[in-house]
Amino acid sequence: MRTQISLLLIACFCSLTCLAQNEFDKYFTTKSLRIDFALSGNTQFQAAAIQQLREEPVWGGPVKNRIDKFNYGGYYINIYDKSTNELIYSRGFNTLFEEWRTTEQAKTETQSWTNSISVPYPKTTVVVEITARDKADMQFHPLLKMDIDPASIFIDRGKLKENKVTQIQYEGNPNEKVDLVFIAEGYTADDQDKFVADAKKFTESLFQTPPYTTRRKDFNIWAVNLISEDKGTDISGKGIYKNTALNSGYYTFGVDRYLTTPDMKPIRDAVWNVPCDAIFLLVNTDTYGGGGMYNFYAMGTADNEKTQHVFVHEFGHSFAGLADEYFSSEVAYQDFYNLKYEPWEPNITTLVDFDSKWKDLLPANTPIPTPLDAAHKDKPGVFEGGGYISKGIYRPMDHCMMRDYAPFCPACSRAILRMIDFLSDREY
Ligand SMILES: [Zn+2]
C-alpha cells in the first residue's frame, strides 16, 4: 500500500513538473530574445525606446519559473501571449539609469542610457511590455508596449565574436542551475590567464561564504575572456582614462569608489552564446571599489585586499536584490527611498509593511524597533539606520555583509536562498 501511495505521489510530482515544462514549450524555445532599449529622461520623467532585437542561441534561465513573483526592482519586463493576452513570462530588474535619476545632475540634464534584457525566445507573436516603478506610489506603470513577431526579419540573428569561454564549474542543465558568468574587463592579451585564475579565486570565495556554502551544486560558473587594449579602468576624478572592453570606470555619479559601466551592449555581446543568469564584471586593478544592480550586473576589482568581500557584497545587490544596510558613507543619491512606502528590497524596512519582511525571523518578544543594547545587538532585530539614511529605515542585524562585510544577516541569507531556488527552477 505504502509503495502504491509513493508511486502515486511520484506520478503526481512528475505530471506537475512535466506540465510546467510543457507550458514553457508551448510558448518558448530554449533560445533567447535579447531586447536592447534606451531609457531616457531626468528627475521628472523617463521614456523607453527599442534599439535592437536579437535572436541568441541559448536560454539558461528557468523554464518552470516563468513568472517572477519577487516584485523586486525598478522595472519589469512582461510578456503576454498575443492571442490570449495571458502573461507568459515576467522578470524584474534594476538599471544604473534609475540611480542616475536620483542624482543632482538629473535635475538639470536629460540623458539617454542603453540597457538590455534577455527573455526566452517566443514561438508566436507576443506583446512585450516594459514597466517602471514610480517612487511616488511604488507601483509599476507601463513605459513601452509592442508586439514582437519571432519570425520578423527585423530581429538580428547574426553571430557575434566567439570569445574564449571557460567552464569553471559545471553541475548540470543550465535551465536548472544558476549560471554565473564572469567577464574580463581591463585585462590585456597578456593578462588572460590571470583573468581565469581570478575568476576561480572569486568562485571559491563565494562558496566559502554562507549561505552559498551549502548550495554549490546549484551553480554553473563560466568565465568569458575579453581582451582590453589597456590594463585597469578609468579613474576620471584623477584624469585617468583607459581603453577597455566594457568602458568601465570609478567616480560613477562623482563617487570615487563607485565602479560601473553605463553601457550594457558590450556586456550582452560578451554573453551572447553563454547560459547566463547573473553577470559579474571582474576589473583588473587593485583599487578599492565596485557596484551592483539587481538582475543587471555586479562589478568588482581583482586585486584589492578587501576584494573578496566586495565581490560577495556587490553580488548580493545584483543576484538577490539586497539593499545596502549602511547609512553613514557618502553616496550621490537624493531621496533614494520614499519613507511613506515599504521598500521592495527584502533586507530593509520602513515599518510600513514589516509583516512582509523578516518579522518571522525575530526571536520572541523582540521590540520593534529594536534598541541596540547588550541584550539585542547580536541577534536579529529591527535596527534603525540602513539604505543610506540613519532615520526611518531599519535593518535586520547590526552588522551584515550588506553593511560592513560581516556574515550575511538572516533576512539576506533567506533572500539569497530563495533566489537560488528560483533560478534553479525549484519552488521558491
Ligand atoms: Zn543583511
Side-chain angles (χ1 to χ4, degrees):
M1 189 62 181
R2 183 179 287 172
T3 317
Q4 277 176 352
I5 291 169
S6 303
L7 285 173
L8 189 67
L9 283 172
I10 290 166
C12 287
F13 180 73
C14 283
S15 63
L16 280 173
T17 314
C18 297
L19 192 67
Q21 171 77 51
N22 288 342
E23 284 288 295
F24 182 91
D25 293 342
K26 185 173 156 191
Y27 298 115
F28 299 107
T29 67
T30 49
K31 293 186 286 189
S32 293
L33 174 65
R34 168 177 150 190
I35 303 168
D36 292 356
F37 60 100
L39 288 172
S40 310
N42 53 39
T43 305
Q44 297 298 323
F45 88 100
Q46 65 176 327
I50 299 293
Q51 294 179 321
Q52 164 180 253
L53 301 173
R54 277 186 49 78
E55 179 185 320
E56 298 190 332
V58 184
W59 172 249
V63 297
K64 294 198 281 282
N65 291 335
R66 286 178 293 121
I67 308 297
D68 175 349
K69 295 179 286 188
F70 286 109
N71 194 37
Y72 291 173
Y75 301 84
Y76 249 71
I77 186 155
N78 299 314
I79 301 186
Y80 302 90
D81 180 55
K82 173 78 177 163
S83 56
T84 63
N85 228 10
E86 183 193 348
L87 179 68
I88 55 174
Y89 180 86
S90 66
R91 191 82 163 87
F93 58 100
N94 275 0
T95 67
L96 192 56
F97 174 75
E98 72 187 292
E99 294 186 12
W100 176 78
R101 290 187 69 216
T102 71
T103 65
E104 189 67 29
Q105 199 182 23
K107 290 180 181 169
T108 56
E109 285 182 25
T110 298
Q111 295 193 357
S112 181
W113 297 45
T114 295
N115 303 273
S116 181
I117 190 100
S118 284
V119 300
Y121 202 86
K123 286 188 168 170
T124 57
T125 299
V126 290
V127 180
V128 172
E129 176 186 55
I130 296 173
T131 62
R133 195 193 296 270
D134 186 344
K135 278 184 189 164
D137 64 2
M138 290 299 280
Q139 300 299 307
F140 287 97
H141 301 275
L143 273 187
L144 181 125
K145 205 167 187 176
M146 65 180 282
D147 291 1
I148 295 182
D149 170 3
S152 165
I153 61 162
F154 301 114
I155 298 173
D156 187 343
R157 294 173 171 79
K159 288 188 169 190
L160 297 176
K161 186 161 189 276
E162 304 254 6
N163 299 294
K164 184 187 161 200
V165 178
T166 306
Q167 263 182 14
I168 291 182
Q169 169 175 316
Y170 188 81
E171 295 292 338
N173 178 0
N175 299 126
E176 296 171 355
K177 301 292 169 186
V178 181
D179 290 276
L180 165 58
V181 184
F182 289 96
I183 306 177
E185 163 67 343
Y187 288 80
T188 65
D190 291 341
D191 296 327
Q192 296 299 309
D193 289 345
K194 175 181 185 293
F195 163 67
V196 175
D198 287 343
K200 285 179 180 164
K201 187 174 75 180
F202 279 78
T203 299
E204 293 311 313
S205 14
L206 185 69
F207 295 120
Q208 281 163 15
T209 309
Y212 297 101
T213 37
T214 57
R215 306 298 282 275
R216 183 164 191 153
K217 290 211 170 305
D218 291 330
F219 283 77
N220 294 332
I221 313 278
W222 310 81
V224 177
N225 285 75
L226 285 190
I227 296 172
S228 292
E229 287 298 312
D230 293 336
K231 187 172 180 161
T233 183
D234 294 354
I235 312 178
S236 56
K238 294 182 178 170
I240 298 168
Y241 295 92
K242 300 290 180 79
N243 180 3
T244 57
L246 303 176
N247 192 29
S248 65
Y250 291 94
Y251 283 88
T252 305
F253 312 142
V255 177
D256 59 353
R257 68 181 192 285
Y258 197 11
L259 174 64
T260 67
T261 172
D263 195 355
M264 276 300 272
K265 206 163 175 294
I267 297 174
R268 282 283 159 193
D269 284 354
V271 297
W272 74 280
N273 56 355
V274 185
C276 179
D277 292 308
I279 292 170
F280 195 90
L281 312 176
L282 198 44
V283 185
N284 192 22
T285 172
D286 59 5
T287 309
Y288 176 73
M293 288 124 293
Y294 171 61
N295 195 19
F296 200 61
Y297 64 74
M299 195 160 190
T301 68
D303 299 312
N304 186 267
E305 59 185 11
K306 289 188 181 157
T307 214
Q308 315 285 329
H309 291 315
V310 174
F311 161 62
V312 177
H313 172 100
E314 300 302 347
F315 192 62
H317 290 304
S318 68
F319 181 68
L322 303 178
D324 279 314
E325 293 178 24
Y326 60 78
F327 49 93
S328 50
S329 304
E330 179 209 2
V331 290
Y333 316 126
Q334 300 173 358
D335 304 324
F336 199 77
Y337 293 103
N338 181 346
L339 301 185
K340 283 192 287 189
Y341 292 94
E342 187 66 27
W344 57 263
E345 291 90 338
N347 62 325
I348 55 170
T349 181
T350 49
L351 296 178
V352 171
D353 180 20
F354 181 56
D355 287 1
S356 68
K357 294 294 171 68
W358 62 91
K359 199 172 188 178
D360 59 315
L361 298 174
L362 297 180
N365 305 317
T366 303
I368 301 172
T370 314
L372 205 51
D373 57 21
H376 299 100
K377 72 179 175 64
D378 295 323
K379 296 178 188 149
V382 191
F383 302 103
E384 191 157 32
Y388 318 119
I389 55 173
S390 58
K391 295 282 173 203
I393 293 186
Y394 301 82
R395 65 191 187 280
M397 287 274 280
D398 189 16
H399 300 284
C400 169
M401 180 64 73
M402 299 315 289
R403 180 183 176 193
D404 50 12
Y405 306 139
F408 278 112
C409 72
C412 287
S413 295
R414 177 164 67 183
I416 290 166
L417 293 173
R418 238 185 122 198
M419 190 58 68
I420 295 173
D421 285 338
F422 172 73
L423 292 170
S424 309
D425 226 358
R426 289 194 290 255
E427 284 280 332
Y428 70 101

